């Protein structure tokens, strides 16, 4: 086992060294161990009048127990999906599960150490200069061997760098050529280099042939498709990049930080249509022509004039005034926005010029991320930050402060219009020394006429009202029938407020009603069956995880390989990624975020289908927290009693209802740009739950009773 580890380390180091030989001029010192992010120890001078006691600091938030690359079963999968439709037989993702332990033969390295074999060039095959340089760098290294029987790693002589079908460098019939190689062995122990993949208009990461079990050394690879500790993310470099040597760079020991003429610079293309256009088209808002110089030109492509807008002529004129190299060497920060693909030449150019890269390329696995902690060498932002910063400039009275921008979840998801006090958000309790809320508001969504005093909604109302943590109950009347008379509602020790929905649509259950006076919301469907003890237990769990959804009914998502789309399952398994809002507790800020952050198109879809609002809320919360929800356990017969013979029972059994939820999953994932849901197997039980000790010792003993 120790030998296996040594060879694995040797192989990884050798692969990186071979690549670094090629990318010669880049010299960068990086720590082998990634330093942990520093937490804000101060309170930023923010105090709440009632915050005289500190909320205890809990350990790091619990992560899902299921590894993302576990073997899939028939019901669910935790695979990350491809971004675009692609030919299933010619996809790089067929080896998505590959890791060194499963797709690499270590025995080839045992006898002769780490040796790399480069296939001889085939007659008549063209090879671009950039790929020739890569092969020459490998052949000139100490790892090279001309004897394939001595080799541990194999590199193709077929040019795989440019897999854009519109490129003159594109190699045709590569699939059959690769399969005919006698050493190919389904790609095992092979390393494939790629700079460009996909073409207009999608620019997917498919290289156009099945790479089998081969490793990828790829530029512009996304975190979704990157296989950790197997693939190697490499920087995008131009054909003029030196094979070895090159300029030494402009970083000097006595110029850190390098205070220079410009604070932030960029000069590049502005895409008038298609992928990569959003960020670059907004840069002119920040450009001031002094210390912030962000220049774009429309002049690219044969038909750019057909698409030119009213700003093109002015932008083109400003673009010509500045010398790119002079700007680069005289700037402290260099903007590196994504192009058509995630990577950009400017990443290497900024590093060589000793300019701190400011990354705006969502989802890019940065080069050599396995060994380099880029958080110490670059500013990594979100592409959406640009417009948010401009908004804060305009509305200074509600602009976000430094703590919001620099602490999770960041300024994109903390809307200052909601509140100017950080204690009103669930993410800053610990920073402000606040305890989580001690009371909740139950919001019951009612859609069925009240015809009997034995209906589940009335039993649910009484059970929630008896909770020691319940401050009030709001019944959202979304039924087409008139409101019941006041005497029809049971008497309770807490106030009961009945609100008649004006539009009576599904999204109305997540409106930020002024009547909700507590930070915690217990969201309930009218037919949910919960006891007071279950309500109490769920709320105490939520107090430990106030930024997440905590509740009872769980569901899961999976990637359906046969249909190439996301699937939704309601089967009871150990694995889940959603907690439905029919019986869940969360912070009321998510009502505001649902209403004001999500686009009208998604909410309209929910309202038209009268379905999927609970899925959309789970998407939103997981996207914000980057964490799964929390499932709590319930009575033994909860599964059987949850869906009684009520009006909603037929809805859940309706196949069209289920098909709609499948469709919602894919529409939501498309808008978010990725699948934000995270799988987990964690469930929280009451203390001593289901053991054989005396029932009198149990705090939540009613949960075990039938």
């Amino acid at each position: 086992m120790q030998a296996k580890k040594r060879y694995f380390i040797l192989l990884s180091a050798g692969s990186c060294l071979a690549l670094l030989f090629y990318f010669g001029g880049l010299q960068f010192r990086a720590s082998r161990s990634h330093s942990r992010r520093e937490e804000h120890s101060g309170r930023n001078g923010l105090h709440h009048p009632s915050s005289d006691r500190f909320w205890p600091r809990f350990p790091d938030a619990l992560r899902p127990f299921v590894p993302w690359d576990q073997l899939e079963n028939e019901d669910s999968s935790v695979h990350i999906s491809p971004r675009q439709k692609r030919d299933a037989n010619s996809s790089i993702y067929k080896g998505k599960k590959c890791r060194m332990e499963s797709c690499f033969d270590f025995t080839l390295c045992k006898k002769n150490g780490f040796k790399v074999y480069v296939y001889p060039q085939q007659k008549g095959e063209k090879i671009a200069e950039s790929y020739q340089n890569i092969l020459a760098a490998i052949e000139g290294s100490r790892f090279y061997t001309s004897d394939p029987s001595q080799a541990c790693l194999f590199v193709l002589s077929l040019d795989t760098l440019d897999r854009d079908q519109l490129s003159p460098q594109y190699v045709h019939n590569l699939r059959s050529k690769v399969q005919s190689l006698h050493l190919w062995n389904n790609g095992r122990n092979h390393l494939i280099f790629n700079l460009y993949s996909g073409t207009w208009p999608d620019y997917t990461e498919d290289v156009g042939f099945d790479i089998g079990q081969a490793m990828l050394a790829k530029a512009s690879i996304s975190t979704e498709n990157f296989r950790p500790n197997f693939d190697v993310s490499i920087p995008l470099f131009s054909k003029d990049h030196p094979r070895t040597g090159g300029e030494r760079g402009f970083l000097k020991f006595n110029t850190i930080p390098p205070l220079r003429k410009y604070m932030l610079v960029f000069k590049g293309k502005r895409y008038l249509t298609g992928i990569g256009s959003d960020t670059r088209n907004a840069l002119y808002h920040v450009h001031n022509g002094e210390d912030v110089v962000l220049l774009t030109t429309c002049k690219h492509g044969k038909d750019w004039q057909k698409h030119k807008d009213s700003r093109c002529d002015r932008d083109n004129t400003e673009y010509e005034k500045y010398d790119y190299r002079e700007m680069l060497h005289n700037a402290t920060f260099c903007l590196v926005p994504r192009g058509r693909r995630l990577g950009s030449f400017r990443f290497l150019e900024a590093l060589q010029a000793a300019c701190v890269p400011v990354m705006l390329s969502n989802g890019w696995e940065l080069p050599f991320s396995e060994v380099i902690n880029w958080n110490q060498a670059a500013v990594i932002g979100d592409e959406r930050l640009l417009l948010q910063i401009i908004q804060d400039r305009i509305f200074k009275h509600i602009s976000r402060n430094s703590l919001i921008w620099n602490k999770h979840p960041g300024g994109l998801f903390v809307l200052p219009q909601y509140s100017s006090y950080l204690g009103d958000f669930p993410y800053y309790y610990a920073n402000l020394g606040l305890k989580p809320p001690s009371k909740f508001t139950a919001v019951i969504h009612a859609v069925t006429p009240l015809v009997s005093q034995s209906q589940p909604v009335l039993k649910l109302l009484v059970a929630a009202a008896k909770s020691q943590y319940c401050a009030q109950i709001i019944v959202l009347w979304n039924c087409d029938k008139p409101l019941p008379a006041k005497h029809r509602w049971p008497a309770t020790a807490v106030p009961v407020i009945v609100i008649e929905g004006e539009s009576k649509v599904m999204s109305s259950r997540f409106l930020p009603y002024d009547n909700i006076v507590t930070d915690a919301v217990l969201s309930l469907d009218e037919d949910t069956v919960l006891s007071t003890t279950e309500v109490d237990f769920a709320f105490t769990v939520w107090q430990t995880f106030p930024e997440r959804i905590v509740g009872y009914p769980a569901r899961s998502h999976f990637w359906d390989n046969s249909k190439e789309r996301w699937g939704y399952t309601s089967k009871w398994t150990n694995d889940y990624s959603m907690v439905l809002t029919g019986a869940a507790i969360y912070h009321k800020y998510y009502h505001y975020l649902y209403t004001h952050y999500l686009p009208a198109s998604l909410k309209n879809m929910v309202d038209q289908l009268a379905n999927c609002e609970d899925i959309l809320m789970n998407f939103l919360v997981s996207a914000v927290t980057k964490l799964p929800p929390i499932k709590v356990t319930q009575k033994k017969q909860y599964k059987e009693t949850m869906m009684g013979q009520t009006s909603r029972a037929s809805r859940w059994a309706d196949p069209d209802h289920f098909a709609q939820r499948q469709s919602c999953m894919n529409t939501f994932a498309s808008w978010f740009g990725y699948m934000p849901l995270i799988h987990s197997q964690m469930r929280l039980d009451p203390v001593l739950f289901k053991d054989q000790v005396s029932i009198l010792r149990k705090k939540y003993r009613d949960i075990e009773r039938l």
Side-chain angles (χ1 to χ4, degrees):
M1 187 66 185
Q2 293 300 322
K4 181 178 180 180
K5 290 183 177 179
R6 287 197 300 270
Y7 284 114
F8 170 72
I9 295 171
L10 178 62
L11 173 64
S12 300
S15 299
C16 291
L17 285 173
L19 292 169
L20 289 171
F21 278 148
Y22 173 68
F23 302 117
L26 177 59
Q27 299 180 1
F28 184 85
R29 292 188 62 187
S31 172
R32 287 182 176 268
S33 61
H34 291 189
S35 61
R36 300 180 62 182
R37 295 181 178 177
E38 297 181 357
E39 296 183 359
H40 295 277
S41 56
R43 301 181 201 168
N44 269 12
L46 298 168
H47 299 275
H48 192 278
S50 62
S51 60
D52 55 346
R53 298 180 63 187
F54 291 98
W55 184 42
R57 290 184 177 272
F58 293 95
D60 290 343
L62 292 170
R63 298 286 176 175
F65 288 8
V66 184
W68 72 273
D69 56 344
Q70 70 173 21
L71 295 178
E72 63 178 307
N73 56 42
E74 62 181 2
D75 295 326
S76 65
S77 168
V78 290
H79 281 187
I80 303 299
S81 78
R83 290 185 175 182
Q84 305 292 337
K85 301 287 286 182
R86 62 190 181 279
D87 181 359
N89 293 323
S90 63
S91 170
I92 67 172
Y93 306 103
K94 294 174 73 174
K96 184 67 179 178
K97 297 176 183 177
C98 271
R99 298 296 183 271
M100 295 296 292
E101 295 79 8
S102 59
C103 293
F104 193 89
D105 185 359
F106 288 89
T107 62
L108 297 177
C109 308
K110 289 184 177 180
K111 289 185 179 180
N112 304 299
F114 182 68
K115 297 294 183 183
V116 183
Y117 173 75
V118 177
Y119 282 80
Q121 185 173 350
Q122 299 182 15
K123 186 177 181 180
E125 288 293 341
K126 62 180 181 179
I127 301 181
E129 181 180 354
S130 294
Y131 197 55
Q132 288 178 349
N133 288 339
I134 291 177
L135 299 183
I138 295 174
E139 291 171 348
S141 74
R142 68 179 186 274
F143 304 110
Y144 174 71
T145 178
S146 59
D147 183 357
S149 66
Q150 302 289 310
C152 176
L153 186 67
F154 300 84
V155 177
L156 303 181
S157 63
L158 296 167
D159 191 347
T160 57
L161 278 193
D162 195 340
R163 302 303 298 154
D164 187 337
Q165 297 178 16
L166 299 180
S167 171
Q169 307 295 334
Y170 181 80
V171 177
H172 295 273
N173 303 318
L174 194 56
R175 185 188 312 176
S176 60
K177 293 175 181 178
V178 170
Q179 295 295 333
S180 66
L181 298 173
H182 70 284
L183 298 173
W184 175 243
N185 190 25
N186 193 33
R188 202 169 182 84
N189 288 57
H190 280 67
L191 178 64
I192 293 175
F193 289 87
N194 178 253
L195 294 182
Y196 307 99
S197 60
T199 189
W200 175 269
D202 298 324
Y203 295 98
T204 67
E205 295 178 38
D206 186 0
V207 296
F209 68 98
D210 181 11
I211 68 169
Q213 297 180 345
M215 296 179 288
L216 269 177
K218 180 173 173 56
S220 303
I221 191 169
S222 67
T223 54
E224 295 181 11
N225 295 319
F226 180 74
R227 296 168 294 182
N229 299 316
F230 190 71
D231 293 330
V232 179
S233 176
I234 62 175
L236 185 65
F237 58 90
S238 68
K239 63 180 180 180
D240 299 323
H241 190 86
R243 190 179 75 190
T244 58
E247 296 184 11
R248 296 181 57 186
F250 292 83
L251 182 61
K252 307 297 182 184
F253 286 104
N254 59 350
T255 58
I256 301 175
L259 302 177
R260 298 174 174 176
K261 176 180 178 181
Y262 303 109
M263 176 63 70
L264 177 68
V265 300
F266 172 76
K267 188 176 184 182
K269 299 174 182 176
R270 178 159 70 86
Y271 305 116
L272 298 173
T273 60
I275 293 176
S277 59
D278 292 345
T279 299
R280 296 194 180 200
N281 285 358
L283 295 181
Y284 78 97
H285 288 289
V286 186
H287 169 78
N288 62 18
E290 296 176 359
D291 60 333
V292 178
V293 180
L294 306 178
L295 308 168
T296 59
T297 179
C298 303
K299 293 182 179 180
H300 63 91
K302 297 179 180 179
D303 57 350
W304 70 271
Q305 291 186 330
K306 295 180 181 178
H307 303 286
K308 65 182 297 187
D309 54 30
S310 59
R311 285 204 341 268
C312 276
D313 291 336
R314 181 172 65 253
D315 287 352
N316 292 342
T317 300
E318 187 77 358
Y319 183 89
E320 298 297 333
K321 292 180 181 179
Y322 294 83
D323 178 81
Y324 174 62
R325 189 175 181 84
E326 186 273 337
M327 290 169 51
L328 199 64
H329 293 164
N330 290 280
T332 301
F333 298 95
C334 289
L335 195 66
V336 185
R338 65 165 295 159
R340 293 298 196 191
R341 300 172 179 86
L342 293 173
S344 169
F345 292 144
R346 281 153 189 82
F347 181 70
L348 277 184
E349 293 169 347
L351 290 175
Q352 201 275 338
C355 187
V356 180
V358 179
M359 313 301 300
L360 290 181
S361 184
N362 290 5
W364 182 20
E365 186 71 24
L366 292 181
F368 310 118
S369 56
E370 185 174 344
V371 293
I372 296 178
N373 181 5
W374 287 111
N375 288 320
Q376 296 182 359
V379 178
I380 303 173
D382 192 295
E383 291 182 69
R384 296 166 293 181
L385 286 173
L386 178 68
L387 298 181
Q388 297 289 340
I389 290 172
I390 296 171
Q391 175 182 292
D392 279 3
R393 288 181 181 177
I394 297 172
F395 302 104
K396 291 185 178 181
H397 61 290
I398 56 170
S399 61
R400 281 149 281 207
N401 63 27
S402 177
L403 176 62
I404 292 177
W405 281 115
N406 294 284
K407 186 170 181 61
H408 187 80
L412 291 175
F413 292 113
V414 177
L415 305 184
Q417 296 86 348
Y418 175 74
S419 175
S420 60
Y421 173 56
L422 295 186
D424 289 334
F425 299 90
Y427 319 108
Y428 307 111
Y429 291 149
N431 292 87
L432 301 177
L434 301 178
K435 294 178 64 176
S438 59
K439 295 287 184 178
F440 67 80
T441 296
V443 179
I444 303 176
H445 186 230
V447 296
T448 306
L450 191 61
V451 296
S452 169
Q453 293 302 114
S454 62
Q455 282 183 225
V457 64
L458 299 182
K459 296 179 180 179
L460 178 63
L461 190 152
V462 171
K466 289 181 178 179
S467 170
Q468 59 182 309
Y469 305 111
C470 184
Q472 60 175 355
I473 295 177
I474 294 176
V475 178
L476 179 59
W477 189 256
N478 266 358
C479 178
D480 293 332
K481 302 298 182 180
L483 278 172
K486 189 174 182 179
H487 71 273
R488 299 288 301 277
W489 301 101
T492 60
V494 299
V496 176
I497 303 170
V498 181
I499 300 176
E500 185 171 13
E502 296 181 3
S503 56
K504 295 184 177 8
V505 294
M506 295 303 293
S507 292
S508 64
R509 71 182 301 175
F510 297 139
L511 287 174
Y513 294 103
D514 292 336
N515 306 83
I516 302 177
V517 295
T518 63
D519 284 342
V521 173
L522 170 62
S523 177
L524 298 166
D525 285 343
E526 62 178 9
D527 55 355
T528 297
V529 179
L530 284 180
S531 67
T532 302
T533 302
E534 289 171 308
V535 171
D536 285 349
F537 175 58
F539 182 70
T540 58
V541 171
W542 177 84
Q543 287 179 306
T544 304
F545 305 96
E547 76 282 9
R548 303 203 221 179
I549 298 177
V550 174
Y552 289 101
R555 298 292 185 265
S556 188
H557 75 287
F558 64 95
W559 178 251
D560 190 332
N561 283 321
S562 62
K563 298 180 180 178
E564 294 213 350
R565 65 199 306 261
W566 290 107
Y568 169 91
T569 178
S570 59
K571 294 184 179 181
W572 286 62
T573 65
N574 291 330
D575 191 87
Y576 70 93
S577 58
M578 290 173 278
V579 167
L580 303 188
T581 54
I585 301 175
Y586 49 79
H587 197 281
K588 74 173 182 179
Y589 174 60
Y590 291 122
H591 277 202
Y592 188 88
L593 207 58
Y594 183 101
T595 302
H596 296 284
Y597 177 82
L598 295 175
S601 60
L602 296 188
K603 291 178 288 188
N604 290 340
M605 177 184 182
V606 164
D607 295 339
Q608 291 170 6
L609 295 175
N611 196 353
C612 304
E613 81 289 349
D614 47 0
I615 297 177
L616 184 54
M617 179 61 88
N618 273 269
F619 266 68
L620 176 63
V621 177
S622 290
V624 173
T625 62
K626 305 296 187 294
L627 295 169
I630 300 291
K631 175 171 173 52
V632 288
T633 52
Q634 63 286 314
K635 290 182 299 185
K636 292 179 179 178
Q637 290 190 338
Y638 179 78
K639 178 179 178 181
E640 289 76 17
T641 59
M642 173 68 180
M643 299 301 175
Q645 297 301 317
T646 65
S647 61
R648 286 180 60 86
S650 58
R651 174 190 173 196
W652 288 104
D654 183 0
D656 290 338
H657 177 84
F658 189 80
Q660 289 172 352
R661 293 173 80 78
Q662 302 272 11
S663 178
C664 288
M665 296 281 293
N666 292 276
T667 300
F668 298 161
S670 176
W671 184 82
F672 279 90
Y674 70 108
M675 171 52 72
L677 299 179
I678 301 172
H679 285 267
S680 177
Q681 287 186 338
M682 185 181 73
R683 286 164 172 75
L684 295 184
D685 293 351
V687 177
L688 304 179
F689 180 44
K690 290 186 179 179
D691 66 5
Q692 300 303 315
V693 301
S694 171
I695 194 72
L696 298 178
R697 291 174 56 189
K698 299 183 178 183
K699 183 176 181 180
Y700 300 102
R701 51 184 177 268
D702 290 341
I703 293 182
E704 191 169 348
R705 294 172 178 166
L706 299 180

